[in-house]
Amino acid sequence: MPSEALDLNAAATERAPRHALFSDAASLLLRAAAPERREVLVGVAWLVVAALLEACGPLAGKYLIDNYLLPRNAQIPAIAALLIGALVAGMAASWLRYLQLSRLAGLAMRSVRRIRETVYGHVLRLPMSFFDQAIIGQLVSRVTNDTEAVKTLYVQVLFVMLDSVIVLCGALAAMLWLDWRLMLIVATLVPVVVLVIVAYQALSAPAVTRARELRAELNAQMAESISGMPVLQASNATPRFNQRFADLNEAHYQSRQSALRANAWLLRPVLDFMNVLLVALVMWVFGRRGESVALTALQVGVLYAFINYIGRVVEPLTQITMQFSQLQQAMVSAARVNTLLKEAEAPVAADQGQVTAGGISIERLDFAYLPGRPVLHDINLEIAPGSFYGIVGHTGSGKSTLLSLLLRFYPARPGSIRIDGTPVGAIGEDHFRARIGLVPQEPFLLAESARENIAMGRSLTDAQVEAAARAAHAHDFIMALEAGYETPLGEGGARLSVGQKQLLAIARALAGEPRILFLDEATSHIDSETEQVVQRALTALRGRVTIVAIAHRLSTVRAADRIVVLNHGRIAESGTHGELMAIDNGLYQRLYLLQQLEGEAEPG
Ligand code: ATP
Ligand code: MG
C-alpha cells in the first residue's frame, strides 16, 4: 500500500469538530483516572491550599509597607512576625506544590499504563475485518506514541494548567480583597488572553493537525519499507522511497515550523506587552489618586502588592497559552486512542456447545466482505466427522474465505455454519480454538524459539512438541539449527525457508491435537517428496480428525473422501477424485489433466 493511503479513521478524527475532540479526550482521561479519583481530588485540594499560601506573600508585604515601615510606627516584633510568616507560608507552598505535582505525575503515569494496556488488549480482540483496513505503522503509533501524548496531556498540560489556574484565582482573590477596582483592571487580561488563544488556535490548528498526520505517515512508511525490504531492494525502489520519506519529513518539519512561528509571533509578545501595559495602568491609577489624597493614606503597600500580583496573573496565563499547542496535539492523540477504543470488538461466543466429533455442516452460506460484492454464494456442505475434504478452485474463487468463516474470523449468517450441531458463533472461544487447528496460507512465525513456535504458549511437554515436529517432518531441520528446538527463529521466522516455515506451521497445528484441522495451501512450498511424508502423517489422522485441505496441487487432495470444486464462490462440482474425473470436460478434469501435462513436462 502506498503511504498516501492515509488511515481514514485517523484523518476523520483529526478533522472532527473541536467539541468532539474535547469530549473524546475528556472521556478517555476520566476513564483512565477513575480508579484513583480520590487521589486526584486530594492532590487538587492540596494544590489549592498551596496557591492560597503563596498568595499570602505579597499581602504580608503590603501590611509591612503600609503599617510598619513608616518611622513612627516601626515595630520590630510585628515586622519580624510578618517576615517569618511570609517566609514560612512561601516555603510551605513550594513544598506542598512539589509533593502534589509529583503525586499527580505518578497518577498520570499509572493512568497511561492503564490506557496502554486497555488499547493493546482491545486491539487483540478486534474482529479480523478491522485489520483488512488497518495500516500497521499507524496502529503501532496509536498504541505507543498516542498513549504517550496522553501522558503529556496529564502531566505537563493538565497539571501545569490546573496549577496555573489555581495560582491565578488565588492572586485575583487577593487583589479583590485589597482593591476591587484595581483588580478589575488586571482582570481584563483574562479575556484578552482568551482572545489570543482563539486567534492562535485558528492560526496553528491546521499546522498542528497536518504535522500529526504527517508523522503517522512517516511511521507507516517506515513500517511498510521494513516489511517489504526484499521487494524494495530487488526492484531498486529504495531511492524512490528515500525521496518520498525525505519529502514527508520536510513537509512535517514545515508544518511544525509554522506552528512554532504562530507561537513565537503571537503568544509571547502579546503577553509581555500586556504585562507592561497593566503595570503602567495600575501605576497611572495610583498616580491619579495620589494627586487628591495625602501620601500616608495612599497605601503604597497596595501598589507593591498589585505589581507583584500582576506578575502572578501574567505568568500562569503565559504558561497556559504556551502549553496550548501541546494540549491541542495531546487532545488529538487522546481522541484517536478513544476512537480506536470505540471500535466494536469481536463478539464473545456464548459457550453453548462443544466441538466433540468434529462434524461440520454448512447450509445456504452467502458471504461478502464488502456490501454488494458477494464472494461466496449458496454454499451447502455436510462434512462427516473424521473425514478428509479437499477444496480446489482457481485463484480468488473463495477458498480461503470459506475457511475464514469456518474459523469465525468473519461472522457468517447465524446458523449457516454448525459444528457438531452447534452454530459456530455459540461455541466458547477457548474451547473452539483448542479444538480447531489451522495451517494458514501464509505461515506466520513468532520471533521466538522453534519450540515456542510449536507450543504457542500451550502447556506441552518436550516429547509432545517433538512428536508433532516429527509428524510434520520438521524435526530434522530443527535439529540441524545451531541450538535445535531452542534456536530463535528471527522475526517472522526470517531464518527459515518458506517450506520450512510451512512444516513448522503444520507441526504447530498437529501439536494441539485438534478435532478439526484446516489446511490452506499448507504444502504449496514443500517439495513433492517431503509432501508425501506430511501427507502420510495427515492420513494417519483420518477417522479421528476432520481435515479440510485447500490445495492447488491436486495430487495433495487426490485421496480425499470428497473434493469440492469452487468456481467464483459457488460449488461447481463435488465428489471423489474418480467421480470428478468422470465428468467429461468438467472443471476438475481439465485442471487435473493440465497439471499432469505440466508434471510430465518438468525435467527430472
Ligand atoms: P487463492 O487460491 O489465491 O488463495 P482464494 O480462493 O483463497 O484464492 P479468497 O482469498 O477466498 O480466494 O478470496 C476470494 C475473493 O474475496 C477474492 O476476489 C478477493 O479479492 C476477495 N477478498 C479476499 N479477502 C478479502 C478481504 N479481506 N476484503 C475484501 N475482499 C477480499
Ligand atoms: Mg487463499
Side-chain angles (χ1 to χ4, degrees):
M1 256 169 289
S3 67
E4 291 90 74
L6 240 192
D7 181 346
L8 293 176
N9 264 338
T13 314
E14 316 235 7
R15 294 196 195 91
R18 202 156 299 136
H19 66 269
L21 263 191
F22 183 78
S23 68
D24 261 7
S27 95
L28 183 72
L29 288 191
L30 284 180
R31 206 160 3 137
E36 294 180 83
R37 208 174 307 138
R38 227 181 74 91
E39 192 82 344
V40 180
L41 289 180
V42 171
V44 171
W46 279 115
L47 274 183
V48 172
V49 174
L52 291 180
L53 280 176
E54 210 161 58
C56 291
L59 271 186
K62 181 245 172 219
Y63 278 105
L64 195 70
I65 295 169
D66 286 347
N67 298 350
Y68 302 112
L69 269 198
L70 294 178
R72 60 183 151 79
N73 49 8
Q75 297 166 14
I76 302 301
I79 293 175
L82 266 176
L83 280 180
I84 291 172
L87 192 68
V88 169
M91 275 166 43
S94 304
W95 182 71
L96 263 180
R97 164 156 317 130
Y98 164 75
L99 277 191
Q100 297 323 309
L101 288 182
S102 56
R103 172 209 290 258
L104 291 177
L107 170 103
M109 239 90 90
R110 287 192 295 280
S111 296
V112 170
R113 188 183 66 193
R114 274 195 290 274
I115 293 179
R116 202 169 274 162
E117 272 167 22
T118 313
V119 173
Y120 183 66
H122 181 74
V123 168
L124 288 183
R125 285 188 297 273
L126 285 175
M128 214 55 82
S129 52
F130 174 84
F131 298 97
D132 290 344
Q133 314 285 332
I135 295 175
I136 299 173
Q138 291 185 349
L139 209 50
V140 169
S141 134
R142 207 64 51 87
V143 180
T144 53
N145 297 345
D146 283 343
T147 50
E148 197 61 33
V150 175
K151 192 187 82 190
T152 317
L153 190 59
Y154 261 115
V155 180
Q156 285 175 12
V157 181
L158 281 190
F159 298 151
V160 170
M161 286 206 175
L162 194 67
D163 193 37
S164 302
V165 168
I166 293 173
V167 168
L168 177 73
C169 291
L172 286 177
M175 283 190 278
L176 182 67
W177 191 50
L178 282 178
D179 187 326
W180 66 271
R181 267 170 295 211
L182 280 182
M183 178 270 192
L184 281 185
I185 295 178
V186 178
T188 51
L189 188 59
V190 177
V192 171
V193 167
V194 171
L195 279 181
V196 171
I197 288 181
V198 171
Y200 170 74
Q201 263 264 357
L203 277 179
S204 72
V208 170
T209 307
R210 183 83 192 117
R212 279 215 87 85
E213 278 177 8
L214 286 167
R215 196 166 116 184
E217 274 192 64
L218 282 175
N219 274 338
Q221 182 171 343
M222 193 72 198
E224 190 191 23
S225 312
I226 291 174
S227 53
M229 196 55 80
V231 177
L232 292 199
Q233 294 195 350
S235 57
N236 202 18
T238 44
R240 189 162 57 85
F241 267 69
N242 218 344
Q243 188 55 48
R244 200 158 82 186
F245 193 83
D247 292 345
L248 275 177
N249 212 9
E250 171 69 20
H252 178 249
Y253 166 78
Q254 291 298 349
S255 48
R256 289 299 302 246
Q257 274 296 85
S258 57
L260 265 183
R261 266 197 296 274
N263 204 339
W265 286 97
L266 192 64
L267 290 185
R268 213 53 235 214
V270 170
L271 284 166
D272 284 350
F273 175 71
M274 286 303 295
N275 192 0
V276 174
L277 191 69
L278 278 180
V279 172
L281 256 178
V282 169
M283 304 253 287
W284 179 72
V285 172
F286 252 81
R288 290 279 311 265
R289 286 186 194 169
E291 285 166 11
S292 52
V293 187
L295 192 64
T296 42
L298 186 60
Q299 293 189 308
V300 180
V302 175
L303 180 63
Y304 159 79
F306 257 84
I307 290 177
N308 207 313
Y309 281 129
I310 289 173
R312 283 169 198 237
V313 171
V314 173
E315 189 47 39
L317 285 175
T318 316
Q319 286 294 338
I320 291 175
T321 46
M322 296 295 273
Q323 302 284 343
F324 214 82
S325 67
Q326 278 201 41
L327 174 72
Q328 205 176 4
Q329 289 195 26
M331 287 215 315
V332 170
S333 288
R336 280 160 48 133
V337 171
N338 208 38
T339 308
L340 177 61
L341 286 178
K342 279 196 268 182
E343 283 286 338
E345 293 188 358
V348 178
D351 206 356
Q352 282 165 356
Q354 301 241 315
V355 181
T356 48
I360 303 170
S361 86
I362 302 175
E363 231 180 280
R364 292 192 325 220
L365 172 67
D366 296 301
F367 181 73
Y369 288 101
L370 305 168
R373 316 205 51 173
V375 174
L376 293 178
H377 310 265
D378 194 28
I379 304 285
N380 293 285
L381 272 179
E382 201 63 46
I383 303 178
S387 59
F388 176 17
Y389 259 63
I391 300 180
V392 302
H394 65 81
T395 292
S397 57
K399 304 181 297 293
S400 299
T401 304
L402 182 59
L403 282 200
S404 297
L405 293 175
L406 287 169
L407 286 156
R408 44 180 218 212
F409 289 157
Y410 297 86
R413 183 178 59 76
S416 56
I417 302 179
R418 291 169 185 272
I419 293 183
D420 292 330
T422 315
V424 266
I427 301 172
E429 178 73 7
D430 290 347
H431 175 80
F432 184 79
R433 299 294 171 208
R435 287 305 177 88
I436 293 187
L438 166 71
V439 184
Q441 191 159 18
E442 286 161 31
F444 173 78
L445 300 187
L446 305 172
E448 291 180 8
S449 67
R451 203 197 110 72
E452 195 36 55
N453 264 294
I454 294 176
M456 285 302 276
R458 298 170 290 200
S459 47
L460 299 179
T461 63
D462 285 352
Q464 282 172 307
V465 168
E466 195 185 314
R470 277 185 193 279
H473 202 61
H475 179 72
D476 292 344
F477 84 78
I478 293 176
M479 289 314 283
L481 297 171
E482 71 266 16
Y485 280 87
E486 302 310 323
T487 317
L489 298 180
E491 188 168 318
R495 299 201 35 191
L496 301 181
S497 79
V498 182
Q500 288 170 334
K501 285 190 221 175
Q502 287 198 323
L503 293 179
L504 253 186
I506 293 171
R508 174 193 291 163
L510 292 180
E513 296 184 1
R515 275 264 152 264
I516 302 177
L517 183 58
F518 294 125
L519 303 141
D520 191 350
E521 292 285 342
T523 52
S524 55
H525 297 282
I526 297 169
D527 67 82
S528 309
E529 209 174 320
T530 312
E531 192 197 356
Q532 281 184 7
V533 178
V534 175
Q535 206 67 50
R536 275 203 293 280
L538 293 181
T539 314
L541 297 176
R542 253 184 153 154
R544 286 184 291 135
V545 178
T546 311
I547 298 178
V548 179
I550 293 176
H552 276 296
R553 215 194 276 166
L554 299 186
S555 57
T556 314
V557 291
R558 206 189 142 137
D561 296 319
R562 204 172 182 82
I563 299 167
V564 174
V565 185
L566 276 186
N567 189 23
H568 295 294
R570 294 177 198 277
I571 297 184
E573 297 166 10
S574 97
T576 62
H577 173 75
E579 287 165 8
L580 293 178
M581 285 305 283
I583 304 176
D584 253 345
N585 210 19
L587 260 177
Y588 185 83
Q589 193 197 52
R590 287 207 309 262
L591 272 175
Y592 194 82
L593 294 178
L594 208 62
Q595 288 197 1
Q596 258 195 335
L597 274 180
E598 278 169 8
E600 278 161 19
E602 260 173 36

